[in-house]
Amino acid sequence: MKKGLIVLLLTSFLGFSQSLERQVIGGAGATLTDNSTVILDYTVGEVVVSSITDGNTLLTQGFQQGEVLLSVNIGITAFLQGALLSPNSGEESLMRDDLRVANYIPTTSPYSDGLTCNPNVFTVTGANAIVDWVFVELRDKNDNTSVLHGKSALLQRDGDIVGVDGVSPLNFITSANNYFVAIKHRNHLGIMSSNAIALSDTVTILNFTEANNQITYGNNAQTTHGIPNGIIAMWSGNANSDNTVKYLGSGNDTNSIKDKVLSETGNTTNSNLYTSQGYHTADVNLDGAVKYQGSGNDANTVKDAVLAHPTNQVSPSNLFTITEQLPEN
């Protein structure tokens, strides 16, 4: 179209006595003039400066190409400690899906992008049933505090992290490259790959669950406490979403659990034994109920995590703090 416009403009100048000197039209555009009455500006395209790829498709910058969609695909596996505690009989290697069974998981993600899924996704049972939403980040290979891409995803009982359709590997619209891969959850401590991972259009498998083959960044970034042998999982207990797990002391998670219970309108007697049902951050064992005291309470989940931390062993303290190992600016 731009070439046609140039021809039309040049044709309109034939009635003038002046003429334009022939010049080579550059890739980035220029200005032509007869130094008297005619000035012609043109742009015919962008010079080629670099190429990017998703592993299969090559996109070279410039006007000569049409729209090309680049993407990378990841098959991630991770476990949440809270959902592995007190597993269903005969299903010890699977997380519980109590939130799904109780119809508490929202169809809109609780994370910043607000992705949505079809309610039918939550009708699937068995190993591929959905446990909860998670948030996955791709971080800069040269700066693991720099988040380049992030999106909500769904976590299955067998640990697979999938797209909002409930089955597909996670897809990011970006070019093939090396990225640090991070996983966050609303009441568990986040984790990240120890190295930048080569990602492309071909599905890259990334397994964070093997205790004897750990790929997680940091020290004691995950836990083996209270879960089947050989498995490692993200620390539970971050009830106040401050990236630490604390049982006692300033800013502890136990108080967040207690406050949730005591603030419920149905708790007319202000009882510490009241149970708050639903989808709440204070429900750190992911059973669909927030309990401060009594059988299966969430406060004990926090305490057990703190006392089980490997560096809180010589003289175990209820005041110990578990700190998230996810690098932040």
Side-chain angles (χ1 to χ4, degrees), residues 13-290:
F13 300 145
L14 293 178
F16 292 94
S17 60
Q18 298 88 354
S19 63
L20 294 173
E21 181 181 350
R22 289 191 304 167
Q23 297 188 30
V24 176
I25 297 178
T31 297
L32 298 180
T33 180
D34 64 357
N35 296 317
S36 178
T37 59
V38 179
I39 298 176
L40 175 63
D41 292 321
Y42 66 87
T43 301
V44 296
E46 177 187 339
V47 292
V48 175
V49 294
S50 65
S51 297
I52 52 178
T53 179
D54 63 2
N56 289 328
T57 303
L58 178 67
L59 172 62
T60 304
Q61 295 181 23
F63 73 96
Q64 75 277 10
Q65 291 184 309
E67 238 179 88
V68 180
L69 193 64
L70 301 175
S71 66
V72 299
N73 295 284
I74 325 174
I76 309 174
T77 305
F79 282 133
L80 300 175
Q81 181 193 22
L84 278 173
L85 300 173
S86 304
N88 298 332
S89 179
E91 297 182 325
E92 286 75 14
S93 63
L94 299 177
M95 289 179 284
R96 291 177 287 100
D97 58 341
D98 298 344
L99 296 177
R100 183 200 66 83
V101 172
N103 199 31
Y104 288 153
I105 306 176
T107 55
T108 299
S109 165
Y111 305 106
S112 57
D113 59 354
L115 288 186
T116 62
C117 67
N118 190 300
N120 290 335
V121 167
F122 300 134
T123 64
V124 176
T125 59
N128 291 335
I130 301 302
V131 174
D132 201 359
W133 289 92
V134 293
F135 193 79
V136 178
E137 297 174 342
L138 301 187
R139 298 188 173 204
D140 192 319
K141 64 182 178 182
N142 297 314
D143 179 5
N144 60 22
T145 68
S146 175
V147 179
L148 302 178
H149 306 280
K151 71 181 335 182
S152 296
L154 295 168
L155 176 66
Q156 297 178 343
R157 292 186 66 197
D158 59 4
D160 291 341
I161 294 177
V162 295
V164 293
D165 64 356
V167 293
S168 300
L170 204 56
N171 173 273
F172 287 88
I173 305 302
T174 187
S175 59
N177 210 323
N178 288 1
Y179 300 92
F180 286 95
V181 180
I183 306 168
K184 293 182 175 181
H185 183 263
R186 58 198 174 87
N187 59 20
H188 285 61
L189 299 185
I191 58 174
M192 186 184 74
S193 59
S194 56
N195 299 303
I197 308 298
L199 302 180
S200 70
D201 185 57
T202 302
V203 178
T204 300
I205 303 301
L206 201 56
N207 191 339
F208 285 93
T209 71
E210 297 178 352
N212 297 321
N213 184 30
Q214 297 189 35
I215 62 169
T216 314
Y217 177 90
N219 297 314
N220 301 307
Q222 296 201 81
T223 180
T224 60
H225 176 69
I227 54 182
N229 188 42
I231 291 177
I232 197 164
M234 296 165 64
W235 287 100
S236 178
N238 187 18
N240 58 12
S241 303
D242 67 351
N243 303 326
T244 63
V245 175
K246 299 177 73 174
Y247 177 59
L248 295 177
S250 176
N252 71 72
D253 296 284
T254 308
N255 281 342
S256 295
I257 296 168
K258 180 179 69 174
D259 291 346
K260 177 60 183 174
V261 168
L262 296 180
S263 67
E264 285 291 284
T265 55
N267 188 5
T268 56
T269 61
N270 244 15
S271 172
N272 286 334
L273 292 169
Y274 185 85
T275 298
S276 175
Q277 304 284 351
Y279 189 78
H280 303 301
T281 305
D283 174 24
V284 295
N285 61 12
L286 302 180
D287 64 355
V290 180

Side-chain angles (χ1 to χ4, degrees), residues 284-304:
V284 295
N285 61 12
L286 302 180
D287 64 355
V290 180
K291 293 183 175 182
Y292 175 57
Q293 293 181 349
S295 176
N297 71 71
D298 295 280
N300 278 344
T301 299
V302 176
K303 180 180 70 173
D304 292 346

